[in-house]
Each structure stands twice: as C-alpha cells, then as structure tokens.
Amino acid sequence: MKNHFSYPFWLRWLLLAFTLAPRALHAQSGSGATNCLVVDCPADKAVQCGTPWSFDQPTATSCCTNPFAAGGVATNVLITPLGFSTNGACPQLEITEYWSIADACGNKAVCKQTVTVFGCCAYCLEVECPPDKRVQCGAAWTFDQPIVRTCCTNQFISPAGLPTNVMVIPAGFVTNGACPLLEITENWVIQDACGNATNCSQTVTVVGCCTSKPCLQVICSADKAVQCGAPWRFDPPTVYSCCTNEFFSSAAVPTNVLITSAGFITNGACPHVEITETWSIADACGDTTNCSQTVTVLGCCTNNPPCLIVDCSSNKTVQCGTQWTFDPPKAYSCCTNEFVS
C-alpha cells in the first residue's frame, strides 16, 4: 500500500469511527456546541480502465452560523482533501480519496470514497508480435511493428519527449544465412509504465534472387568479329546479385554490384587483329569473378597477305617545255594503327 500522507491520532480515530458509521452521518460536536454537522459521503464505485473519471465530492450541511474564511470566501462548512492511497495492482486497482469536514462551531468528520479501476485485460500488458514473413530479394520491405495494449494508466516520457503509457524499443537486428537465402530478425523490448515488460521479434526471410550459389551471377558477352573500318565497341557483361549490401562506385553512386574494366590486350597483326577486354566484377557481399570479350577485326583487303596494297602510277611521256608532275601511287591498308606524318 502506497500512502501519500500520514494521519494524526484524531484522524485515525475518526477514520475508525467512520468505517463503523452509516454513510450519511452526524459529526461530533465541539465543546458546548450542538452537533448539527451532517455529512453525505459519496458511494464507492467501479470504473473501466482507460475511461475518464474523478472522485465524487462529499456534501455537508450545518446549522452552525459561525463563519470562517476559506480562500478568502466566508463559509460555515469546510471540506479539505487529505490525499489518496492506492492498493492492488494492474489490471485491478483500488484508489481511495479522503476528506476532512468541519464547521465553524468545532464539529468535525472524515469522509472517503474508493474507486475500483478494473477490466482492461487478463494480463495488464498484452503484445501481439508480427508473424515471420518471406520477401523477394530486391523488393522493398520493412519490419512489421508489434501491436501493444495495456490497462496501465501511468505514464513515462518517450525518447521523443512525448508522454506515453507503453514503450516499444527496437533492440537491433541480427542476420543469419548467406545469399541467396538470408534471415534477418528484428527484436523489440516492450514495457508499460506499471513495470510490466516483455520481448518480441520478427524474422524476415529474403529469398529467390538466384537459383544457385554463388549469389553473384555473371553472363559474359560472346566474342564477335567486326569489319575493319566499321564502328564497334565492347559489350559489357550482364551481372545479377541477390546481395542487398551496397558500396559506392567511382562516381559516388550506391550500388550492390561493381564492374571494373581491367584494360585490353591486342593479339595478331593486320589484316587479322584480336582485341580482348577484361572486367573485374564484385558484389558488396564479397563475391568476385572476372569476365572478358574478344573482338576480331578482319576483312579489310582481299589480298592476304600483305595488308598493304599499293597501285603504282604508270610511266608516262611528256613534251619538253610543258608543265607536268609525277602521279602519286594509290595505297590501301586494313591496318588501323596510326603514326604522325
């Protein structure tokens, strides 16, 4: 029992007398005074937890005509709250308020009312944890919050600075398994302001990104042949990963897969050249592999070899005194290398 006040001897005596007296009572009189103080104490009552309620004030009358001042107002009867006490525990509480009643002729009485708060729940704190679920890798998802009820009417301040009677606190999550099957579990600590506490969790299984390990899957582009002189470029590989971790690319863009060119090499000679591009591929779960494509450049000239074909100008005869020049030769080559003239 939690008492918010202590009683003097006369009050304890009056309380005992009150418990043996009928609800409507005549108070004891002061010396030489007529006992005409009549007090009607409010009846005890029961209320549903969570509904607004207040104590019912006692009523008192007296034939005493002597006044005294209460808060600057003249009155012949004074009703003073003495505080309340609380018994029991959630989900059934008994809260009792006490009053001291006196008139200006010296007559005194004590009154009380007990309010029983009941009926919220079988257990004061009730928690419905969210069921576990499965989600497709790459799809957007979040943990589902637990549903919490309590009949506790006490309050504490949440981390956001708001008064609340129940607090749901994330305790962090753990990850088990490996790509392509991950299990991520979130835990919560739940408590109300009456001291009840419990735990709750939800496990989300991330599935279905890839059918076989490793999680990182790469389709390298097929080798190809191109005509010399025609525009072309390497075909980058196609990459999949069920890894949901991210790192930043060289362009400062978050990504779960990084494809990095490792440079190219050239083999062969004109008119048949093979150029190979190589890539390094990694995901943010630590899986890595390499990929390459070879492009064969061919078909520039019909005579093979040589790649260089020259058509020399024919000899000619000119008349002395006339202007003339040599006719330059005509040259063709499928070689794509260059030098500076």
Side-chain angles (χ1 to χ4, degrees):
M1 176 174 177
K2 183 179 179 181
N3 292 310
H4 295 271
F5 58 93
S6 59
Y7 306 125
F9 173 77
W10 68 268
L11 180 54
R12 294 198 300 272
W13 184 88
L14 284 176
L15 284 173
L16 178 61
F18 173 79
T19 58
L20 301 176
R23 182 64 63 181
L25 55 89
H26 291 272
Q28 283 190 332
S29 63
S31 63
T34 303
N35 184 358
C36 62
L37 178 63
V38 179
V39 177
D40 187 9
C41 294
D44 295 340
K45 64 181 179 181
V47 297
Q48 186 72 24
C49 181
T51 59
W53 64 271
S54 61
F55 289 108
D56 305 313
Q57 297 295 307
T59 59
T61 60
S62 177
C63 60
C64 176
T65 58
N66 297 339
F68 43 33
V73 178
T75 180
N76 68 329
V77 174
L78 196 60
I79 301 175
T80 306
L82 298 176
F84 60 88
S85 63
T86 302
N87 290 299
C90 200
Q92 180 170 316
L93 294 174
E94 291 185 350
I95 307 173
T96 302
E97 175 72 278
Y98 297 89
W99 297 270
S100 170
I101 301 117
D103 65 15
C105 291
N107 302 303
K108 300 180 180 67
V110 174
C111 208
K112 71 169 184 173
Q113 182 187 40
T114 297
V115 177
T116 302
V117 184
F118 74 103
C120 270
C121 35
Y123 299 97
C124 191
L125 179 63
E126 291 185 337
V127 177
E128 293 181 24
C129 295
D132 297 339
K133 65 181 180 181
R134 296 165 73 88
V135 298
Q136 189 71 25
C137 181
W141 63 271
T142 59
F143 288 107
D144 305 311
Q145 296 296 305
I147 299 172
V148 182
R149 293 179 290 267
T150 182
C151 58
C152 176
T153 57
N154 296 341
Q155 290 189 335
F156 41 31
I157 304 300
S158 72
L162 300 176
T164 179
N165 66 332
V166 69
M167 193 103 73
V168 180
I169 305 170
F173 60 87
V174 295
T175 302
N176 292 301
C179 208
L181 184 68
L182 292 176
E183 290 185 347
I184 306 174
T185 301
E186 175 70 278
N187 298 283
W188 296 274
V189 175
I190 302 157
Q191 59 186 23
D192 65 18
C194 291
N196 303 298
T198 188
N199 296 317
C200 203
S201 68
Q202 182 186 41
T203 296
V204 177
T205 303
V206 184
V207 292
C209 268
C210 30
T211 56
S212 61
K213 293 184 178 181
C215 186
L216 180 64
Q217 292 187 332
V218 178
I219 302 175
C220 295
S221 300
D223 296 340
K224 64 182 180 181
V226 297
Q227 190 69 27
C228 180
W232 64 271
R233 63 180 180 180
F234 290 105
D235 305 312
T238 303
V239 181
Y240 307 92
S241 178
C242 59
C243 176
T244 57
N245 297 341
E246 289 185 334
F247 43 28
F248 285 90
S249 68
S250 58
V253 176
T255 178
N256 67 329
V257 172
L258 200 58
I259 303 174
T260 306
S261 174
F264 60 87
I265 56 173
T266 302
N267 292 301
C270 209
H272 189 89
V273 176
E274 291 183 349
I275 306 173
T276 301
E277 174 75 86
T278 303
W279 296 272
S280 173
I281 303 155
D283 67 17
C285 290
D287 299 310
T288 60
T289 190
N290 295 317
C291 203
S292 66
Q293 182 187 41
T294 296
V295 178
T296 302
V297 184
L298 78 169
C300 270
C301 33
T302 55
N303 293 329
N304 185 22
C307 183
L308 178 64
I309 299 176
V310 178
D311 186 6
C312 294
S313 301
S314 301
N315 295 332
K316 64 182 180 180
T317 302
V318 297
Q319 187 68 33
C320 180
T322 60
Q323 292 183 342
W324 62 272
T325 59
F326 288 104
D327 302 317
K330 296 178 181 178
Y332 307 91
S333 177
C334 59
C335 177
T336 57
N337 297 340
E338 292 182 336
F339 44 36
V340 178
S341 65

